[in-house]
Amino acid sequence: MFDLLTNILIWIIAIPIFVILFRAIPKDWFRLFGLVIFTALIAIIFANFRFVEEPIPKTVVEFLTFPFTLVGLLLLLLFFNYWLRLKKITIKSGEKVDNKAAAEKVATVKKEILIVLLIFAIATNNATSELFTCYLEQQGSNAIEQSYRRPVRDLTEKELLDFRRGVYDLIVVLAENPPYEPRLQEAIRLWNEAEISKKPYIILSGGRRTSYPSTKGYACLTAPESPPTRTKENVRDVIASRAGIPDMGLRYDPRYEGYFTNRAAPSDGIPQVDLTEADQMCSALTSFPNISSIRPFVIIEPSGMTVRSSGDEISKLIKSLEKNKLIAEDARNSRRILLITSPIEATRSFLSFRNQDLNASLTTASYPSDSHSNLGEQCPWPIGKQFRLKPQYFLFNAEAFVKSERVWTEIKELVFYTLRFWLRPPLTDDRPYYPKQPV
């Protein structure tokens, strides 16, 4: 809500400045400036430059993309109604004066303002926002079912047995679209249920930089050295254990690759790194009670800023782990991955990972207040099985608008991924599959 109010305040300040510039700058210059801004936005969106995550570029990009949010669209529609129509309207007085043109403009403005109010009402209504959310969750449920299907003929007997038993080699937790604590809890549950000899590795993927507790520090929010009681060697052992020291460090972190490939490397120069969401997830994961033995199974992926880039970075990470003999090689690319994400982004995550040739199954996890455990019973019709009128369906509030904005953002991402050929819809496949049902 604070970010939303900040964006609105910025636009309130910026609009008068834009008006002044629009009047002062020659029209050709203004068109050229708009073309440059539009081209820059397209380049930034399609290239996913890392520098965009820096504080100043990030603020600039968020400001420029604000018109593509629901709030931005509504404000722009209202502003252009005034600027293009009402500002230049001329009404004359007198008995024989014809104000037909002005009346037509006023009528048009009334219709367009009515459209704006209708969009706002739909976005803030409990029933419609709930229906939008349920639709994406329904698609996510279909994606989960599809992700558990495999061509039986392409599986060896051992792979088919492992598939039936729900054995995974890697569990991937994505940080996109927080909160991610429920996903971590689900990862711990699955890890605890796995056999001791077949414990999966947990990859925590999140590349957005954080400012808590600081912008720089040690991996997994490891406490810094504090001589003489805590030395560089102690920090090193928590991140990547030295040779001859009991293995209490992480499984892998590409930012400290040298310490994982050479256990005898000196600890004097161990650097602090840019902290990301992956570090925060690692800290939360390893802080849960009664799971002290999970740390050597944790792999940090600190570069993926989106679902797509996380898939790319995970592919590179797996190759690096195989190259450094930290996990066994898999020439058939049949390593089983369980992807844990939120219900709303489940479809995009699965289709994107499948497009990247990652052998991923899918599950979702979120707080009960953020999703529905039973779509048929809890969702409005037609997603729900029965048509029911609940009192809250007739109410409007800010929480419903936030849900609608989140759905709108996900729809934009789905369109963008489709335009980049990162998805392969529709989500159907009629080949003979082994129908493993998700738990």
Side-chain angles (χ1 to χ4, degrees):
M1 183 59 70
F2 176 77
D3 292 337
L4 175 61
L5 294 176
T6 302
N7 273 322
I8 293 175
L9 179 61
I10 290 175
W11 271 91
I12 290 174
I13 297 173
I15 286 176
I17 297 176
F18 285 161
V19 171
I20 295 172
L21 290 175
F22 184 80
R23 292 176 176 175
I25 297 177
K27 296 298 183 290
D28 292 338
W29 291 17
F30 192 79
R31 294 192 189 97
L32 181 61
F33 177 74
L35 179 61
V36 171
I37 293 297
F38 180 76
T39 304
L41 273 177
I42 295 298
I44 289 171
I45 291 172
F46 276 78
N48 290 324
F49 292 120
R50 179 75 189 190
F51 82 90
V52 175
E53 285 300 306
E54 297 292 339
I56 295 178
K58 184 178 181 180
T59 302
V60 173
V61 171
E62 288 179 349
F63 170 71
L64 293 175
T65 55
F66 176 69
F68 299 99
T69 63
L70 281 180
V71 177
L73 287 173
L74 294 174
L75 290 178
L76 280 180
L77 287 172
L78 290 174
F79 170 73
F80 282 113
N81 259 303
Y82 165 76
W83 180 260
L84 296 177
R85 304 189 192 280
L86 294 183
K87 185 177 182 295
K88 297 182 179 180
I89 195 170
T90 302
I91 300 177
K92 301 177 182 180
S93 61
E95 296 181 357
K96 298 182 179 181
V97 174
D98 185 7
N99 286 315
K100 183 178 179 180
E104 290 177 351
K105 287 186 178 181
V106 171
T108 303
V109 169
K110 287 181 179 179
K111 292 180 182 178
E112 293 179 352
I113 290 179
L114 180 61
I115 292 173
V116 172
L117 294 177
L118 181 62
I119 295 174
F120 182 73
I122 292 173
T124 55
N125 179 254
N126 285 331
T128 51
S129 66
E130 192 83 352
L131 187 62
F132 297 152
T133 303
C134 286
Y135 175 76
L136 286 184
E137 289 184 9
Q138 179 65 61
Q139 299 308 307
S141 179
N142 295 339
I144 291 175
E145 181 181 354
Q146 183 70 21
S147 74
Y148 279 87
R149 296 180 179 179
R150 296 291 186 281
V152 177
R153 295 179 181 177
D154 293 348
L155 297 178
T156 65
E157 291 186 6
K158 180 181 181 303
E159 289 171 344
L160 183 58
L161 179 61
D162 287 343
F163 196 89
R164 288 171 175 165
R165 297 168 62 189
V167 176
Y168 302 98
D169 302 298
L170 299 172
I171 295 177
V172 174
V173 183
L174 297 181
E176 188 174 6
N177 207 348
Y180 41 72
E181 285 79 9
R183 306 172 209 173
L184 298 177
Q185 293 172 352
E186 179 67 9
I188 291 173
R189 184 187 70 80
L190 294 169
W191 187 84
N192 284 329
E193 291 178 355
E195 298 178 12
I196 296 178
S197 59
K198 295 183 178 180
K199 292 288 187 183
Y201 296 113
I202 299 177
I203 298 180
L204 306 175
S205 179
R208 291 188 179 88
R209 297 180 184 178
T210 64
S211 56
Y212 175 81
S214 62
T215 56
K216 283 189 173 291
Y218 292 113
C220 201
L221 303 188
T222 301
E225 65 276 10
S226 180
T229 57
R230 184 175 176 81
T231 64
K232 286 273 190 181
E233 285 74 16
N234 299 133
V235 176
R236 157 76 180 278
D237 292 337
V238 177
I239 298 175
S241 301
R242 292 168 293 166
I245 303 296
D247 191 2
M248 59 181 178
L250 304 172
R251 185 63 181 178
Y252 187 68
D253 185 338
R255 297 169 296 185
Y256 297 96
E257 183 174 1
Y259 294 109
F260 291 95
T261 56
N262 182 11
R263 298 286 182 174
S267 307
D268 296 339
I270 185 169
Q272 293 191 355
V273 295
D274 293 324
L275 296 178
T276 68
E277 290 174 314
D279 295 297
Q280 289 187 331
M281 287 197 297
C282 177
S283 177
L285 181 72
T286 54
S287 298
F288 283 102
N290 303 323
I291 54 165
S292 57
S293 59
I294 199 173
R295 196 175 182 89
F297 292 85
V298 175
I299 300 171
I300 292 182
E301 189 288 292
S303 301
M305 294 182 291
T306 63
V307 169
R308 183 68 184 188
S309 61
S310 287
D312 289 335
E313 295 298 332
I314 288 169
S315 297
K316 297 176 185 176
L317 192 64
I318 291 174
K319 293 179 181 178
S320 180
L321 289 166
E322 290 179 342
K323 178 182 177 182
N324 294 320
K325 309 298 182 182
L326 295 173
I327 61 174
E329 293 188 17
D330 185 359
R332 296 180 68 244
N333 192 30
S334 59
R335 182 177 286 103
R336 289 205 62 203
I337 299 173
L338 179 64
L339 177 62
I340 304 179
T341 183
S342 68
I344 274 194
E345 65 183 2
T347 301
R348 176 165 56 99
S349 301
F350 167 64
L351 291 177
S352 180
F353 270 57
R354 186 177 69 170
N355 181 261
Q356 292 166 294
D357 294 324
L358 292 168
N359 183 23
S361 298
L362 176 69
T363 189
T364 60
S366 63
Y367 289 120
S369 59
D370 295 334
S371 63
H372 304 85
S373 57
N374 189 327
L375 295 174
E377 294 294 331
Q378 298 174 334
C379 289
W381 185 86
I383 302 298
K385 295 180 180 179
Q386 296 180 355
F387 182 80
R388 297 175 180 174
L389 288 177
K390 298 180 180 180
Q392 60 265 32
Y393 287 169
F394 298 95
L395 301 178
F396 304 82
N397 58 44
E399 184 179 355
F401 188 85
V402 171
K403 288 183 179 180
S404 298
E405 184 73 78
R406 187 177 179 186
V407 170
W408 171 245
T409 300
E410 182 61 24
I411 291 174
K412 289 188 296 182
E413 292 291 342
L414 284 168
V415 172
F416 171 65
Y417 274 51
T418 303
L419 292 176
R420 290 295 302 270
F421 301 102
W422 289 346
L423 307 181
R424 293 183 293 180
L427 193 63
T428 57
D429 197 334
D430 296 328
R431 291 184 295 169
Y433 274 64
Y434 171 69
K436 170 73 165 61
Q437 294 298 321
V439 179

